[in-house]
Amino acid sequence: MVRKVTLFSLAVPLFIEMLLFSMLGIVDTFILSRVSDEVAGGVGACNQIINFTKIVFNIICIGANVLVSQYIGAKSRESAQKAMVSSYVLVTAVGLAGSFVLFFYGKPILQLMGVTANLLSHAETYIRIVGSMMFMQAILNLSTVLMRTHGYSKETLGITIAMNLINVVGDIILIFGFNMGAAGAAYATCLGRVVAMLIAFRFVCKNILERNAFRHLRNFPVPIIRDLIRIGLPSALENICYNVSQIVISGMILYNLGETAYITRTYTQQIIIIFITLSISIGQANQILIGRLVGAGSFDEAYHTCLKNFRKAFLLAIGYGLIFFFFGGTFIRIFTDDPEIIKWSAMVLMVDAFLEPGRTFNLVIINGLKGSGDAVFPVIIGIISMWLVATLGAWILGIALGLGLAGIWAAMAFDEWLRGFIMLHRWRSRKWTSKALAVRE
């Protein structure tokens, strides 16, 4: 069954859901920081790699989101069913491959990142345990995407709440009760994800997929697989490019600025992610709305809807940017009493106040372009800007000119604003109207 959706009905549950995910990361970091800063930093390094793996899964998830949204708008139920079952096959295969890589090659990847010996022992333990179960995360991600696409945002929120409760209780018992450190955090994370995956997949099978939906695999739907990859691959590449550039920047910090700077980055990003969840939720809701409108052939309504949603997110970003600028240092005291980390974090958050409005362009308008089927243009611009402006700029300003973390953050801000203005121009050009994969006749 497909429910009617609005920005509010999608974005509010999405915001709460992602906020809970963010709070879960903060709780994990807080609990681990009570053990030691090295444990927290080691798990922080792992999470960069794990997040990168999730983006690989999104090749299928994003493609499914866009394609199914357009099929819903076009009133093509059978094609939507084919797209969903094909997505499950693909995402499971990619998830198993991800689990294999992280379990057997997690440590060499961490060493390649430049993770120091003090952090590596904790990081290796965490990535082997969590990495081995990443295929469960892949299935969970796709299931919740399909639930939101059909309007079941409140139900995905309930699943997230259950997962977080399991994770937090598990953290407390295993880390403090059994003194298991990074391993305890990893086992608690895995348990929460497994339970959530089972609930979400059962919900999709019962409420969204037809009883015999997997029959469509008998005649393998090659055109739909092609469309999934056509949308998902460029969309995921844009995210992959961003995360690879962030991993390279992390290596710069570790090699040139040291562990204290890297731990500062870990704590600071936990604060930032809470606030930008507001804009991320609007961006993801915008993608579903634009997909349905484009599938229905309502291009003018899609054009104005995206711009209206962007303006809302932009004003929110200015608001939390001001909070970062004036009160940033206060938030870091949640994690640590180290005066050097607090000083560096406050400085970084002041620079980030100028970055966040620029990031909003890319969170909302790029998702609008993806929802319309225009997935290639953002990745081309992203590869150029993320590497020549963000990454190279981070080295020039932060390392060569000696501006440290503030210089690195300034380079990332330049990247966000440059890409943002280019994406706004692309949307206003309406070239995306020719990229739709499914339009109601």
Side-chain angles (χ1 to χ4, degrees):
M1 185 178 73
V2 178
R3 291 177 177 173
K4 183 179 179 180
V5 294
T6 63
L7 180 68
F8 185 84
S9 70
L10 287 170
V12 172
L14 262 170
F15 167 66
I16 299 172
E17 183 182 343
M18 288 188 287
L19 183 63
L20 288 172
F21 269 117
S22 303
M23 291 301 297
L24 181 60
I26 288 178
V27 170
D28 274 346
T29 304
F30 173 78
I31 292 174
L32 290 169
S33 70
R34 299 305 95 183
V35 180
S36 74
D37 286 338
E38 288 74 21
V39 175
V43 172
C46 289
N47 284 333
Q48 282 197 67
I49 299 171
I50 290 168
N51 289 337
F52 178 83
T53 308
K54 291 178 185 177
I55 292 169
V56 176
F57 302 157
N58 280 348
I59 292 173
I60 296 99
C61 293
I62 294 171
N65 189 11
V66 173
L67 199 55
V68 173
S69 293
Q70 291 194 13
Y71 282 138
I72 290 172
K75 306 295 184 183
S76 180
R77 179 176 175 82
E78 184 176 352
S79 295
Q81 293 288 317
K82 289 179 181 179
M84 288 186 284
V85 296
S86 301
S87 299
Y88 270 115
V89 172
L90 288 175
V91 85
T92 302
V94 173
L96 289 169
S99 293
F100 178 87
V101 170
L102 291 183
F103 184 81
F104 290 103
Y105 300 103
K107 182 178 179 181
I109 294 171
L110 288 164
Q111 290 172 322
L112 188 63
M113 277 180 62
V115 175
T116 58
N118 288 338
L119 305 183
L120 185 61
S121 59
H122 308 293
E124 181 185 2
T125 299
Y126 188 87
I127 203 165
R128 283 179 66 89
I129 297 169
V130 175
S132 66
M133 301 298 290
M134 284 306 292
F135 71 96
M136 295 281 192
Q137 182 71 56
I139 298 170
L140 172 62
N141 286 2
L142 178 60
S143 298
T144 54
V145 161
L146 296 178
M147 289 171 67
R148 283 192 291 269
T149 302
H150 284 76
Y152 294 102
S153 296
K154 292 180 182 178
E155 287 77 4
T156 62
L157 174 59
I159 291 170
T160 301
I161 291 172
M163 181 175 68
N164 284 10
L165 286 174
I166 293 170
N167 199 328
V168 171
V169 172
D171 277 346
I172 294 170
I173 293 173
L174 297 177
I175 295 174
F176 293 140
F178 290 89
N179 196 29
M180 293 178 66
Y187 285 123
T189 298
C190 289
L191 178 60
R193 286 177 180 172
V194 168
V195 172
M197 185 278 293
L198 293 173
I199 295 172
F201 183 67
R202 183 178 182 275
F203 184 94
V204 171
C205 291
K206 184 177 179 180
N207 297 279
I208 297 174
L209 290 177
E210 297 172 348
R211 182 167 297 180
N212 56 347
F214 284 90
R215 76 183 189 282
H216 295 299
L217 295 176
R218 294 171 187 167
N219 297 317
F220 201 64
V222 175
I224 287 180
I225 297 293
R226 184 189 63 238
D227 286 340
L228 283 170
I229 296 173
R230 174 184 162 190
I231 292 295
L233 184 58
S235 298
L237 280 175
E238 189 255 337
N239 289 329
I240 289 171
C241 183
Y242 176 81
N243 278 268
V244 170
S245 72
Q246 290 298 304
I247 289 173
V248 172
I249 289 170
S250 295
M252 290 183 199
I253 294 171
L254 279 165
Y255 277 119
N256 298 282
L257 302 181
E259 285 184 14
T260 300
Y262 185 80
I263 292 169
T264 298
R265 184 179 189 270
T266 299
Y267 290 157
T268 302
Q269 286 186 318
Q270 293 293 340
I271 298 300
I272 291 170
I273 194 64
I274 291 180
F275 288 89
I276 68 171
T277 298
L278 288 163
S279 298
I280 294 171
S281 62
I282 293 175
Q284 292 192 8
N286 186 57
Q287 184 181 89
I288 295 172
L289 291 170
I290 298 304
R292 287 200 182 186
L293 289 169
V294 168
S298 303
F299 294 112
D300 283 340
E301 187 178 353
Y303 175 82
H304 293 292
T305 296
C306 183
L307 293 178
K308 182 173 64 177
N309 294 340
F310 163 69
R311 285 192 290 269
K312 292 176 181 178
F314 188 81
L315 290 174
L316 285 170
I318 292 174
Y320 56 74
L322 291 172
I323 294 173
F324 287 165
F325 191 88
F326 291 106
F327 305 106
T330 304
F331 294 113
I332 302 302
R333 289 183 172 87
I334 297 171
F335 300 118
T336 183
D337 296 323
D338 188 312
E340 189 173 9
I341 293 176
I342 293 171
K343 180 184 72 174
W344 283 15
S345 297
M347 175 184 61
V348 165
L349 286 170
M350 290 180 74
V351 179
D352 193 74
F354 297 95
L355 181 152
E356 295 308 332
R359 195 201 303 266
T360 304
F361 288 87
N362 301 305
L363 291 175
V364 179
I365 296 178
I366 285 181
N367 272 313
L369 290 169
K370 291 175 183 177
S372 72
D374 190 7
V376 175
F377 182 79
V379 73
I380 294 172
I381 299 301
I383 290 172
I384 296 170
S385 182
M386 290 173 196
W387 288 99
L388 293 183
V389 180
T391 308
L392 180 60
W395 184 84
I396 292 172
L397 295 178
I399 310 303
L401 296 181
L403 297 179
L405 286 175
I408 289 171
W409 242 260
M412 292 191 293
F414 292 148
D415 162 58
E416 295 286 359
W417 278 95
L418 175 62
R419 282 189 294 126
F421 280 122
I422 294 173
M423 295 305 144
L424 180 61
H425 174 75
R426 178 71 171 188
W427 186 258
R428 286 178 170 168
S429 74
R430 299 193 185 223
K431 292 181 180 178
W432 47 271
T433 59
S434 64
K435 309 294 182 180
L437 299 170
V439 180
R440 187 191 306 172
E441 297 179 358

